[in-house]
Amino acid sequence: MFISMFVIIVFATIWVVFFKGEWNASDKSFITKVFIGEIGIAIVALFYGLFNLKQIESREGVAPSTSEPDSNTPGPDDDFYMKTYPRSQHPQFFSDVEELISHASKVTLIAVGLNLLWEKHIVDLLIRRVQDGECEVTVCMGNTASPHVEDRFIEEEMEWNRPQVGRSGVDRNIRALVERLEISGRPKEFRFLLFEHYPTFATLIFDEEIFIYPYGYQVLGNTSPIFHVKNNGSDQAKFFMNNASKIVNDAVPASDVISSRRNRRFYSDKWILAAVYIIPSAESDIYRFGSSVLGYDIYEERDIAAHGPIASVRPLVGEAASYGFHATLADALYFSSEQQVERVRAEVNFLAQEFQPFHLRGMELDISEHDPRALVIRAEDTSGVVEAIHHELVHRVYRIAVSSTYLAGRTRKALPANDSRSQLMLNRYGSPFILNNFRLHFTVCGSLPDPEAEREAAVDALRQQFDKVVDKSVEVDKLVLVVKRPGEERWTIEGSFPLCGPRWA
């Protein structure tokens, strides 16, 4: 507007002085000099005003707006929007946050690496205030073992990016904070959690002060601008507060994750077991046979009394009785929260939409090649669906589990000894019998006797009953998620997901 008005006044003045007015040569010379001086002063004033405005914006950290606000955008009188910092490593941001930490009664910090906690004196201040009963603190960082968080780390190293901290640095900081909290006596009001989803933006909350910075594509988080807003009760503020609550509620205890890494046999009685199975129809001949041997109907969640020859082998069933009759697609894995189990449910639901129903044939009763104490029904799948689903589950589900029955030593199943491949699979995925070593089977006995004569007698007794099964094929039209929560003796069905794919015509 300044430029527009300036141009209009200049041309109007020139027109009046030189074309409209009756001036002599001396007057015109004097007026021209004065006019040129005024133009010079106006230009100096313009640049001084722009430079002064830039300095004010720089000091306040506010980026100038280039567009008119709409009805949903906070106006100048609204107390939601406070200011902006050019980057999350900005000294002014650290200074302001340190001041907030010194008097805030509730602090929530959610970010992948939380560069704020790189400053030791800030961690010291938070712990001291918690120990003094002055503050409640929740720290939520990215679980570096999660494949979804890992996607972010990989993305940050694309193109020319080379993060100064990266996954190894975040992992080191997580371990350091866990150890620091242990040394401090694990203060109850200082919660340290790890989220496992792909991060989109960080949220730092100090009472009613909210700081947000985005995770841009292939851009390091510490170069993002920070937006400072206030929880004024508006819908905008509620969005960020509710989002932070959901992340915290879905996160897992950092101490569980670190403890299970330090000691692979670490176990918590608060963990939830979950697995993905193929379970034949309740009306099928093969299901009736298998569930009668195990003594448990997982569909109706009831015990089945033993009759005839089955009674003689029932004591040999072992822990297989608690699982129900099934073929494993994903092993029994431990998860530290209900939200993790919900994630597994969503993964299985999506996966089921990718594949069509298929049949298992070639049923054969034999000793397991993985465990000489187990009697199993082997099955063949020529469609390739079982192989594909199993491989998908290894990546989607195994890697978000905190542990497994194999790692925690909560199973009687035999483990391979002195096998480097099995150890690798066990350490990384929690099971040695996966991928190329995966064999689809239905377990009917898990504790066969050691004496060969007794074992053969039990196998023969079951084989005679198995031979009476008319239909030895299984139509697989669904994936089944089963769980076993703390305090429960038997596994139960959490959800069934119809095979209804493929997505593409």
Side-chain angles (χ1 to χ4, degrees), residues 35-57:
F35 184 62
I36 292 174
E38 289 176 343
I39 292 176
I41 293 172
I43 292 174
V44 170
L46 172 61
F47 278 98
Y48 177 82
L50 292 175
F51 179 76
N52 189 52
L53 178 62
K54 186 70 175 179
Q55 283 187 320
I56 293 174
E57 291 170 353

Side-chain angles (χ1 to χ4, degrees), residues 56 59 92 125 151 242 258 266 308 336 338 344 359 366 424:
I56 293 174
R59 286 196 302 269
Q92 186 61 50
L125 179 60
D151 284 345
N242 292 339
I258 297 303
F266 175 79
S336 57
E338 290 286 353
V344 175
H359 283 81
D366 203 352
L424 169 64

Side-chain angles (χ1 to χ4, degrees), residues 331-343:
D331 287 292
L333 303 167
Y334 282 110
F335 299 91
S336 57
S337 68
E338 290 286 353
Q339 288 72 26
Q340 278 192 314
V341 176
E342 174 61 19
R343 176 74 193 210

Side-chain angles (χ1 to χ4, degrees), residues 41-113:
I41 293 172
I43 292 174
V44 170
L46 172 61
F47 278 98
Y48 177 82
L50 292 175
F51 179 76
N52 189 52
L53 178 62
K54 186 70 175 179
Q55 283 187 320
I56 293 174
E57 291 170 353
S58 177
R59 286 196 302 269
E60 294 297 326
V62 179
S65 173
T66 58
S67 61
E68 292 292 326
D70 58 30
S71 59
N72 296 323
T73 303
D77 297 329
D78 195 88
D79 61 347
F80 169 71
Y81 179 78
M82 304 296 287
K83 61 182 178 182
T84 304
Y85 301 87
R87 64 186 185 279
S88 64
Q89 291 287 90
H90 197 275
Q92 186 61 50
F93 166 69
F94 276 81
S95 176
D96 291 349
V97 164
E98 190 168 351
E99 175 65 24
L100 288 170
I101 288 176
S102 65
H103 65 262
S105 60
K106 188 173 183 179
V107 176
T108 301
L109 308 176
I110 304 171
V112 175

